[in-house]
Amino acid sequence: MRILHTSDWHLGARLGNQDRLPDQLARVDEICGFIDEREVDLLLVAGDVFDEHRADALAKIIGRLGRLLAPRILAGLTCVFIAGNHDREHVFPLLRGLQALVAADDRGRVIFAERPALEQVTLPRGEKLNLMLLPYPTLSRYDLADERWPSPDAKHDALHDEVRNRIQALVSQVKAVGAGVPTVICAHFWIRGVTEGLYRVTEQNDIVIDPSDIPVYAYTALGHIHKPQYVGAPNIRYSGSIERMDRGEAKDKKKAVLVEVTRSGAQGVEELSLNATPFAHLQVSSEEDLETAAARVAEPDRTLVSVTADLRREQSLGSVIARARKLFPRLYGNVDVNWIDARSRDRPAFEADRLDVQATVRAYLSQVLQHDPNAQELTSAAEELLIQTGMSRA
Ligand SMILES: [Mn+2]
């Protein structure tokens, strides 16, 4: 049977003022293309499926995801999603409830797992597969939420022990099922020794799993680490995220993994490239530099751009920002500026006074806009804003 392994979709995650959902869904669309072309039987999403906490936005995302996957599921695809640390606790139980309500016949074709479990799936051609599902370890998902802990360390150690216990219990269940059915693990955690592609992963919050704690089966599909890589053996893999999340992932190649699993194990492991959104960081010292840089950016309409500007006092930051916005519709975050001829004693003095916001705003604006042709307009817009926010009275 053919399995497509992906992870860390992070649907809904934003970058500054940039909506990333169109990028993320474009990658899911590419994944659907692979499913069709390569006749995939089983799609595994190894955690961090959703990265959105607002219920209305999440409902839209789920609707759009459903429209992409539904035709494939109707044609026989099985989809398995496990919960990662970015998946909110209530979302998977909610989706399962909905599933029971509207699609009783299709149960088994789409699995949402937020708790460790062994599931057996039967594919359209009658092949059976054991799936050992290991979501990101949290107290509630591993049934430790009601305990009292003498210290955070004790809590952390207990969770770590419980992950190991649950893996052992699932290993016994696999043995009870008997030989002849291949087993695949799908898990969302950090494996000790992996150092590249850590996205918001910390020693304090994460349970770090030793490679020796994971049994060796036909294939292990991992999520949580954003850079595609194998861990110790070619059939134990992180597929990596489907999109570049931020500048830190600018150089990462994004991939999905296609693997053929038979009774005798994983037969072929193939990485399929995703057309991830490009990032560019530009260091400029004039508007002309921006034009030159724009000519070198291959896909200016699609590229997520950040800018650092080294400017002299007589240059206008406002015009540089305006030009950057025009050249790069996906400019994100603030333009970082270094005033290269500024010495502290030349700077018009103003003290940032936390108790007097309006005075601080006015002093700051009069400093940064002193050579700006739009200074008057910007200053009156700021005054308007101060009134609206109640920081100043008209
Ligand atoms: Mn994660």
Side-chain angles (χ1 to χ4, degrees):
M1 71 191 68
R2 279 199 202 125
I3 300 175
L4 190 65
H5 161 207
T6 79
S7 77
D8 295 83
W9 289 10
H10 287 273
L11 301 177
R14 304 176 62 84
L15 179 67
N17 58 350
Q18 291 291 318
D19 182 5
R20 299 295 314 275
L21 190 62
D23 299 335
Q24 293 147 3
L25 291 175
R27 302 293 81 73
V28 175
D29 199 37
E30 281 180 59
I31 286 165
C32 287
F34 295 144
I35 290 169
D36 299 344
E37 287 158 27
R38 311 302 287 265
E39 297 177 21
V40 169
D41 302 300
L42 172 65
L43 172 68
L44 290 180
V45 186
D48 284 352
V49 186
F50 305 110
D51 199 340
E52 171 59 77
H53 63 276
R54 295 168 301 170
D56 53 342
L58 187 62
K60 283 191 192 119
I61 292 169
I62 290 168
R64 293 179 70 178
L65 181 60
R67 281 194 286 282
L68 283 171
L69 291 176
R72 280 86 194 184
I73 294 164
L74 283 172
L77 177 73
T78 299
C79 297
V80 175
F81 301 89
I82 65 164
N85 49 314
H86 288 265
D87 293 299
R88 273 61 179 189
E89 294 283 341
H90 66 279
V91 174
F92 278 39
L94 194 67
L95 286 170
R96 257 205 324 279
L98 181 71
Q99 207 180 7
L101 197 66
V102 301
D105 297 346
D106 267 345
R107 234 178 299 173
R109 288 266 189 84
V110 184
I111 296 172
F112 295 100
E114 83 282 3
R115 288 168 178 278
L118 186 73
E119 295 272 356
Q120 192 172 80
V121 294
T122 305
L123 302 172
R125 278 170 282 153
E127 297 165 283
K128 285 189 185 335
L129 179 75
N130 295 323
L131 283 168
M132 185 183 289
L133 306 177
L134 299 165
Y136 181 79
T138 67
L139 293 174
S140 66
R141 288 173 186 164
Y142 284 72
D143 295 312
L144 294 174
D146 297 332
E147 313 272 333
R148 287 175 193 278
W149 308 104
S151 71
D153 277 353
K155 190 165 80 175
H156 190 271
D157 291 348
L159 184 53
H160 198 171
D161 287 345
E162 189 57 20
V163 173
R164 278 189 290 234
N165 293 342
R166 298 300 270 273
I167 291 174
Q168 282 317 307
L170 293 172
V171 166
S172 305
Q173 277 192 49
V174 170
K175 282 187 188 136
V177 170
V181 179
T183 299
V184 165
I185 299 175
C186 184
H188 192 90
F189 44 53
W190 182 12
I191 295 185
R192 194 174 305 286
V194 173
T195 57
E196 281 186 81
L198 311 180
Y199 174 78
R200 301 188 194 173
V201 169
T202 59
E203 285 269 7
Q204 293 99 313
N205 294 330
D206 274 85
I207 302 296
V208 189
I209 305 294
D210 282 310
S212 59
D213 286 333
I214 304 171
V216 178
Y217 291 124
Y219 185 75
T220 296
L222 296 164
H224 195 39
I225 302 301
H226 282 193
K227 191 171 176 156
Q229 56 196 293
Y230 66 86
V231 186
N235 63 333
I236 303 172
R237 274 186 190 260
Y238 285 104
S239 61
S241 58
I242 60 172
E243 253 301 348
R244 299 183 177 114
M245 303 293 291
D246 54 32
R247 228 173 101 191
E249 298 185 7
K251 290 190 178 132
D252 289 8
K253 302 264 185 278
K254 295 301 173 187
K255 293 178 174 172
V257 182
L258 185 69
V259 55
E260 175 98 33
V261 169
T262 68
R263 284 183 181 204
S264 42
Q267 295 304 310
V269 178
E270 187 183 349
E271 290 187 325
L272 305 175
S273 290
L274 294 163
N275 184 18
T277 306
F279 273 75
H281 179 71
L282 311 176
Q283 182 103 27
V284 301
S285 56
S286 64
E287 289 179 56
E288 293 68 47
D289 280 1
L290 278 170
E291 299 279 356
T292 314
R296 283 201 302 265
V297 171
E299 299 174 276
D301 289 338
R302 192 178 166 232
T303 303
L304 288 156
V305 172
S306 54
V307 173
T308 301
D310 299 313
L311 301 180
R312 291 180 311 281
R313 281 281 151 206
E314 71 268 19
Q315 289 175 287
S316 155
L317 174 59
S319 324
V320 168
I321 292 172
R323 182 71 68 99
R325 285 228 175 89
K326 207 166 176 186
L327 291 167
F328 306 106
R330 303 195 77 191
L331 180 73
Y332 69 92
N334 294 321
V335 169
D336 278 329
V337 62
N338 303 313
W339 295 106
I340 52 178
D341 55 356
R343 274 169 289 161
S344 55
R345 63 187 170 83
D346 299 338
R347 224 174 254 177
F350 87 86
E351 294 279 312
D353 181 351
R354 282 166 190 275
L355 296 176
D356 191 350
V357 174
Q358 46 175 309
T360 302
V361 168
R362 285 178 188 133
Y364 174 74
L365 288 177
S366 74
Q367 181 186 320
V368 298
L369 298 175
Q370 57 179 324
H371 302 293
D372 197 295
N374 302 317
Q376 207 169 1
E377 208 179 324
L378 289 167
T379 306
S380 59
E383 290 293 341
E384 194 70 25
L385 203 60
L386 285 170
I387 292 164
Q388 278 174 28
T389 53
M391 287 171 182
S392 175
R393 318 234 170 273

